Amino acid sequence: MASSSLKVGAVVITMGNRPDELRALLDSVAKQDGDPVQVVVVGNGSPVPDVPEGVRTVELPENLGIPGGRNVGIEAFGPSGRDVDVLLFLDDDGLLAHHDTAELCRRAFAEDPKLGIISFRIADPDTGVTQRRHVPRLRASDPMRSSRVTTFLGGANAVRTQVFAEVGALPDAFFYAHEETDLAWRALDAGWMIDYRSDMVLYHPTTAPSRHAVYHRMVARNRVWLARRNLPAVLVPVYLGVWMLLTLLRRPSRPALKAWFGGFREGWATSCGPRRPMKWRTVWRLTRLGRPPVI
């Protein structure tokens, strides 16, 4: 398929509390080269601020969380987003740094029919620095190196909509944290590939994920759900044991550790949704890509 024929849409979820940043993001999307990018803004339990003409909006009566809000945005483009070929997912306080990002996405997906997801590079708008945690691989010291990866960044990515049609949407129940890895593992298990592209840049202010009050509980609970849903049974305790050790080595505060263990228990005590363990050849693929599913 020629890159010029690929239709691109964008999903942005907002709590309505960053109207200036949202407008700047939408302006950066409107300036993309090539055919216009269709945009849907989802008000996640809040009204949507004023948006430019042509931008569609959906206002939800309650906050469905990040994956839930993004899933509503996907369905706004038809079942599994089928009205477009590619969907961009962009944080409402981000900004596309260059005018050619949508065209680079079209070209990448057209040239590689097995490419399912692209993870953008996130850079601070003032310093240009990319935080290590924003490079979705273990060898993250050089953020300027593009590569195949095993997961992606939730607020700065592009997904071929055929992936959603084949493996399903983001897991609504996760609400926040690890929903991207859940989708990534399912996509990889279905034979799709994921690329990290350093030349596709979203400017985003440097922040710490732990600024969210629910961070430690959600991270632990969803980590358990992620393993229970996707890993072969023998790898579940290995994966979760490694992450418990890493958490303890980071020496979180007592309240943070209490929240983490509360979430860990919740992950075992509550339903994780449908279990579809990945094939062993997918485990091997993840290992060859540098991130075996035990870390």
Side-chain angles (χ1 to χ4, degrees), residues 13 40 45 55 57 81-82 98 104 107 110 160-161 178 208 225 251 258-259 273 283 289:
I13 59 173
V40 169
V55 173
T57 62
R82 69 184 180 191
H98 308 301
L104 289 172
R107 191 181 312 157
R160 193 190 296 265
T161 54
H178 302 317
W225 282 356
R251 302 177 68 182
K258 182 179 179 181
V283 173
L289 287 171

Side-chain angles (χ1 to χ4, degrees), residues 246-266:
L246 288 173
T247 299
L248 294 172
L249 289 174
R250 290 168 180 167
R251 302 177 68 182
S253 67
R254 186 179 295 272
L257 196 60
K258 182 179 179 181
W260 192 93
F261 274 106
F264 191 83
R265 287 191 296 270
E266 184 181 349

Side-chain angles (χ1 to χ4, degrees), residues 13 44 62-69 171-177 179 214 217-218 221-222 225:
I13 59 173
N44 214 354
E62 62 178 310
N63 183 355
L64 299 182
I66 293 173
D172 284 353
F174 279 42
F175 198 85
Y176 165 79
E179 68 272 6
V214 297
R217 180 175 69 87
M218 292 289 193
R221 183 197 68 182
N222 292 359
W225 282 356

Side-chain angles (χ1 to χ4, degrees), residues 49-244:
D50 289 338
V51 297
E53 185 177 352
V55 173
R56 290 186 288 158
T57 62
V58 179
E59 294 186 353
L60 303 177
E62 62 178 310
N63 183 355
L64 299 182
I66 293 173
R70 286 183 178 144
N71 285 340
V72 169
I74 294 168
E75 294 300 306
F77 289 94
S80 300
R82 69 184 180 191
D83 294 346
V84 293
D85 301 294
V86 175
L87 278 175
L88 312 180
F89 294 88
L90 306 169
D91 277 350
D92 68 342
D93 56 344
L95 182 76
L96 288 174
H98 308 301
H99 293 180
D100 64 349
T101 302
E103 279 289 274
L104 289 172
C105 285
R106 290 187 183 98
R107 191 181 312 157
F109 285 116
E111 292 176 352
D112 185 351
K114 294 310 294 179
L115 179 62
I117 303 172
I118 299 173
S119 189
F120 300 168
R121 181 166 63 89
I122 295 178
D124 185 272
D126 297 321
T127 65
V129 171
T130 296
Q131 291 181 277
R132 187 180 182 90
R133 68 184 182 87
H134 283 152
V135 183
R137 59 177 180 245
L138 292 180
R139 296 184 180 92
S141 59
D142 182 8
M144 300 307 295
R145 178 173 67 87
S146 299
S147 68
R148 293 283 200 202
V149 290
T150 62
T151 188
F152 63 98
L153 306 171
N157 67 81
V159 181
R160 193 190 296 265
T161 54
Q162 190 179 343
V163 172
F164 296 124
E166 187 170 338
V167 308
L170 295 158
D172 284 353
F174 279 42
F175 198 85
Y176 165 79
H178 302 317
E179 68 272 6
E180 303 93 348
T181 300
D182 187 88
L183 177 63
W185 283 359
R186 286 183 281 129
L188 288 162
D189 198 47
W192 296 102
M193 301 303 292
I194 306 171
D195 279 355
Y196 166 73
R197 288 284 297 265
S198 64
D199 56 338
M200 302 181 189
V201 182
L202 184 85
Y203 284 148
H204 189 280
T206 298
T207 56
S210 55
R211 71 189 185 280
H212 299 293
V214 297
Y215 172 77
H216 297 286
R217 180 175 69 87
M218 292 289 193
V219 161
R221 183 197 68 182
N222 292 359
R223 183 84 69 185
V224 176
W225 282 356
L226 177 69
R228 290 174 60 200
R229 285 163 59 91
N230 295 287
L231 290 181
V234 70
L235 292 184
V236 172
V238 179
Y239 177 81
L240 294 176
V242 167
W243 276 104
M244 180 180 290

Side-chain angles (χ1 to χ4, degrees), residues 270-283:
T270 55
S271 172
C272 65
R275 173 168 163 76
R276 300 187 182 95
M278 65 178 65
K279 307 173 191 72
W280 280 104
R281 69 169 176 261
T282 305
V283 173

